[in-house]
Amino acid sequence: MKNIMMTIKPLTAVLLAGGLISCGGDVKTNTDIAIVDTTAPVSDWQLVWSDEFDGNRIDSAKWTHEINCVGGGNNEEQCYTDSPDNSFVADGKLHIVALPAEDGAPLPYTSARLNTKYKGDFKYGRFEMRAKLPTGQGAWPAFWMLPTDEVYGEWPKSGEIDIMEAVNLKTVNAEGVVEANVHGTLHYGVAWPNNSSSGKAYLLPDGQNPADDFHTYAIEWNEGEIRWYVDGYLYQTQMASQVRVNASGIPVSLAHRGWFAEYFNIATGDLETQWNAAPFDQRFHLLLNLAVGGNWPENVNNLGIDADAFANGQTFAIDYVRVYQCGQDLDSGKGCETIRAGYKDAETLVEGKAPNPPPPPSGIPQNLTIFDGTPNPDWPAWDCCGGSTPALVEDAEYGNVYEFVVAAQPTVNGFVSREAFITDPEGEPSPFDASPLLERGSISFDMQVVSAPPSPDAVWMFKVESNNNSTTGFAEVALSTSSEGVAPVTGQWQRYTFPLQDLQDAGLDLSGIDVVMVFPSWGQGEGAVYRIANLTIAQPNDSPQLDLFTDGENPAWPMWNCCGSTEATEQFDDEARGLVAEFTIGAEPTVVGFNSRENIGAGEAFDASTLLADGLVQFEMKVVTAPTNPDSSWVFKIEAGGAASAVEVPLSNGSAGVEPVTGEWATYTFSVQSLFDAGLDISAIDVLMVFPAWDTGDGAAFRLDNVRIYNPNVASSNLTLFRHNVAQNWTLWDCCAGSTPQRVFAEAPYDAVAQFEIAGSPETVLGFLANDDATHDASALLGSGSVSFDLRVVSAPTNPDSSWLFKIESSSSAVELPLASGNSDQAPVTGEWARYSFSLQSLFDAGLDISDIKVLMVFPAWGTGQGAVYQMDNVEISSN
């Protein structure tokens, strides 16, 4: 449920009524409690507050009625009143009754909502209710908690705890299913409408329905953990997020994804995400209410509200409400937990919605790409004063480029990142601080003069401005003063590079670059037409690399045998490979590999943080002699921070599931990203191991070579197969039906696209084929890359049973998948463009040799495609 204060302003009420998120869990549990040993609360639970409803009136010292018609923030259809018709105590119970409203009432139903704010406020404890729930489509009873002080901000930033909710109990759907779920949910996170919730549904055993009898609903809440119970059975646990930090103490990922909070850091004033007990570390109060309709109940089960179900009223009957606190530790609420075996297993522990921490600083200054063929909404192309609009045009050599013109009105052209000139709703001013790049960075671009200005006095100029200031802190130089030292030649593409140091010496303030211009000298450029591509402010992208063994041992990372008596040695393998590392396993159980720790190696760990997105751990291995134990399996393990973190996986994970073959060299590749995701602190790697599983390796001998951790130059591994035209050394291809796929023009924004048709024989496949001497190595993209493309079916196959497939091949392997698996299982819709993406990691895991990609295909299933016409564009193998 969502709290709306009675003093809510009319405008706020309207906005809230427009659709606050409804409550409810997202996971269902159906438990047989007969096999569970349920533990009663321990003796140190101390009753601190209760209402047994034994009198003849509602105790105003404990409860406050909320009176309003704002719909609970969920478009509910009741007014809350303090009328005894809607809430009263009788027969030892509190009755909350939803009734039809009188004619002319603001909303069609009346009901009651009571809270204990400032009368019963608690931080941590056991909160318990025994109740019988109402029935009918539209009935929404709730027992829940809201923060009393809203320390972290408005809903849901300060949290909400739904102890029990149910909707539409005993309704029967078209399949004959009777609604019987109760739900426990947390709400938290950032401000609505981007808020988060997590929870679980529960079914009573033996087909019981919560509306048929009284049942007990409770939570136990202590610091960092909340548990939900029905009739004493613990069915759900939620926890605060648990953060993994690297060796420098910087958060890098989540060991457990639970709840989170967002609030301002008192010391810095910055809005920060917090992965701790907040917001569920402040005092909360209790609420009881019965809503009618609303966003949740009206959109599930039989939809809407069943007026007949409420004709004579629906009653939420509460026997008691009790609050206990733990005498063991009032500050944390810990020490009295009612738990059972497995209460944090996959069935019971609910994963929350906390975001991962941002990647730690890489320590490497960041580059800026202003334009590389795709318009940058933060840096639009710009004509200062001439009234033209720079045009995005296709160049035969460079693809998408910007074309600028100079007419009679004097002007300068270029790219700008100032608010007055940004028109794309996705764009925002983004001045670039190039100061960290000063030593080795430069501004560079490609340019072609299509038509030179007729004035013989025209000089091509390059100008850069900073910090929204065109009068100071800028640099203006002749284009010919670039590092290349060339003047433009009409009709030729030429590269221009301006070192940042030179531009600073010429007066440029590097701290906030926001305009880059290229133009003929002022007033002399009429008639000029020129094109610009690949504009960047960047420095060479150096990445750390660790070679553990390449043609010899790295003294800082010596070969190592943990626990056995055999010594690792350097051996000459053959003329082509040279020296390799050889390990042998004897009778003593052991692990072997390379170790940099103090007293073994140099004592310096390797920081692979800057390799997170694109880095690889890679080596080649040959089993000389297999272990004598036929059940032995090969393992890869990597440790960091003196074994503070480690990842151990089957060796075959690094070779698409292929086990080592005795006598054959094979390459094994593990992305740094996958190791990080599995829990490795990549900032302090200090041991790398390959070995037969513990105590199964006797008799094994194996060799390793080219063992390294590195970034294999991602840029050279990107391949655009088709964007306006097919890539060099690749062709549009029909395998078997003799058609010739065409390059045709489609409507904006696609321009030229590849079109495939199956007009004759349906026994064919179509796509993109590398020339005989061409291939593509995507190894460098394993951890972060994908195969992606845009596709539109122009005409569907005449066979109604046809299905669409995606296939990719290397010289020795292939992977074929349903096309829909690349678009959230959405099949193509005739006439509509859609984007499809397949991660290289998944293709590699399915068996594709990504170092030798030769063919990419999309087609209707074999023999079913006759009549199909489809188009593709933006076909690429690239980093994500």
Side-chain angles (χ1 to χ4, degrees):
M1 304 293 287
K2 167 74 173 72
N3 182 45
I4 302 297
M5 297 300 293
M6 290 182 289
T7 57
I8 189 166
K9 296 179 181 179
L11 176 59
T12 306
V14 170
L15 293 174
L16 290 170
L20 286 182
I21 188 166
S22 61
C23 305
D26 51 14
V27 183
K28 183 178 289 186
T29 298
N30 189 354
T31 304
D32 179 4
I33 63 172
I35 62 172
V36 177
D37 181 9
T38 304
T39 305
V42 299
S43 58
D44 257 1
W45 281 121
Q46 299 171 2
L47 184 67
V48 297
W49 188 98
S50 69
D51 197 334
E52 305 296 324
F53 304 113
D54 288 334
N56 56 14
R57 61 181 178 82
I58 295 172
D59 189 344
S60 61
K62 295 178 179 179
W63 299 97
T64 298
H65 280 90
E66 297 183 23
I67 304 173
N68 61 66
C69 296
V70 299
N74 300 288
N75 293 317
E76 298 159 16
E77 295 293 333
Q78 80 290 319
C79 287
Y80 286 129
T81 81
D82 61 356
S83 166
D85 292 335
N86 293 122
S87 58
F88 59 89
V89 171
D91 302 322
K93 299 175 181 62
L94 170 65
H95 301 260
I96 298 178
V97 184
L99 294 164
E102 295 179 356
D103 291 342
L107 292 171
Y109 297 93
T110 61
S111 187
R113 172 160 142 170
L114 293 77
N115 70 62
T116 67
K117 189 173 185 179
Y118 305 131
K119 299 176 179 180
D121 306 285
F122 309 96
K123 175 183 170 183
Y124 307 140
R126 178 181 174 95
F127 303 83
E128 183 178 302
M129 171 189 73
R130 184 172 182 267
K132 180 180 178 182
L133 308 185
T135 66
Q137 179 70 35
W140 183 2
F143 173 42
W144 53 303
M145 303 180 75
L146 282 173
T148 298
D149 305 303
E150 293 196 330
V151 169
Y152 303 113
E154 64 185 7
W155 187 89
K157 299 186 71 170
S158 291
E160 174 183 324
I161 305 171
D162 296 331
I163 303 171
M164 186 288 305
E165 294 182 284
V167 295
N168 309 330
L169 288 174
K170 303 198 78 170
T171 59
V172 182
N173 66 15
E175 289 74 38
V177 177
V178 178
E179 178 59 55
N181 288 287
V182 292
H183 303 261
T185 310
L186 295 180
H187 297 264
Y188 49 85
V190 303
W192 179 85
N194 298 314
N195 48 292
S196 300
S197 64
S198 49
K200 195 177 184 73
Y202 177 77
L203 287 171
L204 290 162
D206 303 323
Q208 299 177 77
N209 195 292
D212 288 337
D213 204 349
F214 285 84
H215 296 274
T216 301
Y217 306 94
I219 63 162
E220 289 182 0
W221 167 31
N222 55 254
E223 184 179 19
E225 185 172 304
I226 303 175
R227 300 172 297 280
W228 280 256
Y229 304 79
V230 174
D231 293 338
Y233 177 72
L234 195 170
Y235 76 91
Q236 174 187 188
T237 303
Q238 294 203 52
M239 296 168 54
S241 297
Q242 297 174 355
V243 179
R244 281 201 298 118
V245 299
N246 64 17
S248 301
I250 299 173
V252 292
S253 66
L254 298 179
H256 168 70
R257 187 183 307 279
W259 68 69
F260 72 102
E262 180 188 81
Y263 54 86
F264 288 95
N265 184 307
I266 295 176
T268 66
D270 295 332
L271 185 63
E272 296 180 348
T273 297
Q274 301 289 337
W275 300 273
N276 51 31
F280 303 108
D281 61 350
Q282 304 293 323
R283 61 179 188 156
F284 278 58
H285 58 273
L286 296 165
L287 296 97
L288 290 167
N289 71 285
L290 172 55
V292 181
N295 297 338
W296 181 13
E298 291 190 59
N299 288 287
V300 295
N301 301 103
N302 296 332
L303 307 180
I305 299 172
D306 180 3
D308 291 341
F310 291 88
N312 297 312
Q314 282 291 336
T315 299
F316 179 14
I318 300 100
D319 184 18
Y320 64 76
V321 176
R322 296 170 183 167
V323 179
Y324 302 83
Q325 290 191 317
C326 182
Q328 294 280 341
D329 186 346
L330 291 175
D331 290 336
S332 71
K334 296 179 179 179
C336 302
E337 292 88 338
T338 308
I339 57 176
R340 58 172 173 79
Y343 84 104
K344 291 184 181 179
D345 60 16
E347 171 69 15
T348 310
L349 181 61
V350 171
E351 184 175 277
K353 302 295 176 59
N356 272 314
S362 67
I364 295 178
Q366 298 302 301
N367 296 333
L368 171 67
T369 298
I370 295 176
F371 175 69
D372 64 353
T374 301
N376 183 338
D378 298 337
W379 281 83
W382 165 73
D383 177 342
C384 154
C385 322
S388 74
T389 300
L392 189 68
V393 300
E394 183 186 356
D395 182 86
E397 184 176 356
Y398 279 76
N400 280 349
V401 301
Y402 267 112
E403 184 170 278
F404 302 89
V405 299
V406 181
Q409 180 69 32
T411 192
V412 295
N413 294 311
F415 297 83
V416 63
S417 189
R418 293 178 181 168
E419 186 169 7
F421 305 103
I422 294 175
T423 58
D424 190 321
E426 301 298 320
E428 60 182 28
S430 302
F432 181 68
D433 182 3
S435 304
L437 307 177
L438 174 62
E439 185 177 345
R440 297 191 304 133
S442 60
I443 302 179
S444 58
F445 55 92
D446 296 301
M447 174 176 153
Q448 179 196 52
V449 175
V450 179
S451 300
S455 171
D457 297 325
V459 177
W460 285 94
M461 304 298 295
F462 174 67
K463 185 176 183 180
V464 186
E465 295 179 358
S466 183
N467 291 312
N468 204 28
N469 194 329
S470 59
T471 58
T472 62
F474 68 87
E476 183 172 348
V477 297
L479 198 60
S480 59
T481 63
S482 70
S483 298
E484 293 79 8
V486 296
V489 176
T490 301
Q492 292 186 13
W493 278 100
Q494 294 168 289
R495 186 72 171 166
Y496 297 90
T497 304
F498 294 87
L500 291 172
Q501 183 67 65
D502 292 352
L503 295 173
Q504 179 176 268
D505 293 343
L508 178 63
D509 176 0
L510 296 176
S511 68
I513 295 173
D514 54 9
V515 184
V516 177
M517 294 168 274
V518 180
F519 54 93
S521 48
W522 184 264
Q524 297 175 331
E526 184 179 359
V529 180
Y530 53 105
R531 295 177 172 183
I532 292 178
N534 303 319
L535 173 58
T536 64
I537 307 175
Q539 70 174 8
N541 187 13
D542 297 334
S543 294
Q545 177 166 323
L546 173 65
D547 290 299
L548 292 88
F549 193 103
T550 303
D551 295 325
E553 183 179 61
N554 180 343
W557 281 76
M559 297 178 289
W560 166 75
N561 186 329
C562 155
C563 320
S565 58
T566 60
E567 290 189 13
T569 60
E570 293 181 343
Q571 298 291 330
F572 185 82
D573 189 77
D574 58 26
E575 289 290 341
R577 191 168 289 276
L579 286 179
V580 298
E582 182 168 287
F583 301 88
T584 58
I585 310 293
E588 308 97 331
T590 191
V591 295
V592 297
F594 303 90
N595 192 322
S596 71
R597 291 178 186 156
E598 194 171 357
N599 300 323
I600 299 173
E604 295 182 2
F606 179 67
D607 184 355
S609 299
T610 60
L611 303 177
L612 177 60
D614 306 312
L616 304 176
V617 178
Q618 191 174 71
F619 53 88
E620 295 156 15
M621 174 179 157
K622 178 175 74 173
V623 175
V624 178
T625 306
T628 56
N629 185 332
D631 297 323
S632 182
S633 59
W634 289 90
V635 176
F636 168 72
K637 186 174 184 180
I638 188 167
E639 294 182 352
S645 67
V647 172
E648 181 176 315
V649 296
L651 179 64
S652 59
N653 283 13
S655 60
V658 178
E659 298 289 345
V661 177
T662 302
E664 295 184 6
W665 283 98
T667 300
Y668 298 86
T669 304
F670 301 87
S671 71
V672 173
Q673 181 73 59
S674 68
L675 299 172
F676 171 83
D677 292 342
L680 184 69
D681 176 3
I682 62 172
S683 73
I685 298 171
D686 52 15
V687 180
L688 186 151
M689 294 167 273
V690 179
F691 53 93
W694 184 260
D695 203 17
T696 69
D698 188 17
F702 61 99
R703 294 177 172 181
L704 297 176
D705 194 16
N706 297 322
V707 185
R708 55 184 176 163
I709 305 174
Y710 74 117
N711 178 350
N713 190 6
V714 169
S716 65
S717 295
N718 290 338
L719 171 65
T720 300
L721 283 169
F722 193 100
R723 180 173 290 132
H724 306 303
N725 210 338
V726 70
Q728 187 176 4
N729 295 319
W730 287 73
T731 58
L732 305 179
W733 173 71
D734 180 338
C735 153
C736 318
S739 75
T740 302
Q742 300 292 316
R743 179 173 174 266
V744 302
F745 285 88
E747 68 282 358
Y750 284 92
D751 199 53
V753 300
Q755 180 164 296
F756 304 89
E757 300 185 28
I758 305 178
S761 170
E763 284 78 26
T764 192
V765 294
L766 306 97
F768 302 86
L769 175 70
N771 295 346
D772 289 343
D773 56 349
T775 185
H776 182 67
D777 183 0
S779 301
L781 305 177
L782 176 60
S784 63
S786 61
V787 178
S788 54
F789 50 88
D790 296 333
L791 180 140
R792 174 174 67 175
V793 175
V794 178
S795 300
T798 55
N799 187 329
D801 297 324
S802 183
S803 59
W804 289 88
L805 300 174
F806 164 77
K807 187 173 185 180
I808 187 167
E809 293 183 354
S810 71
S811 298
S812 59
S813 61
V815 172
E816 182 175 304
L817 300 167
L819 178 63
S821 65
N823 184 27
S824 303
D825 292 326
Q826 298 297 308
V829 176
T830 301
E832 295 183 8
W833 284 100
R835 186 73 173 166
Y836 299 83
S837 185
F838 303 82
S839 75
L840 284 167
Q841 184 72 59
S842 66
L843 298 173
F844 173 84
D845 292 343
L848 181 69
D849 177 3
I850 63 172
S851 71
D852 180 33
I853 296 173
K854 300 279 291 184
V855 189
L856 187 152
M857 296 166 274
V858 177
F859 54 93
W862 184 263
T864 69
Q866 190 161 13
V869 179
Y870 53 105
Q871 298 171 342
M872 297 178 70
D873 197 9
N874 301 318
V875 184
E876 54 191 8
I877 303 172
S878 62
S879 57
N880 295 327

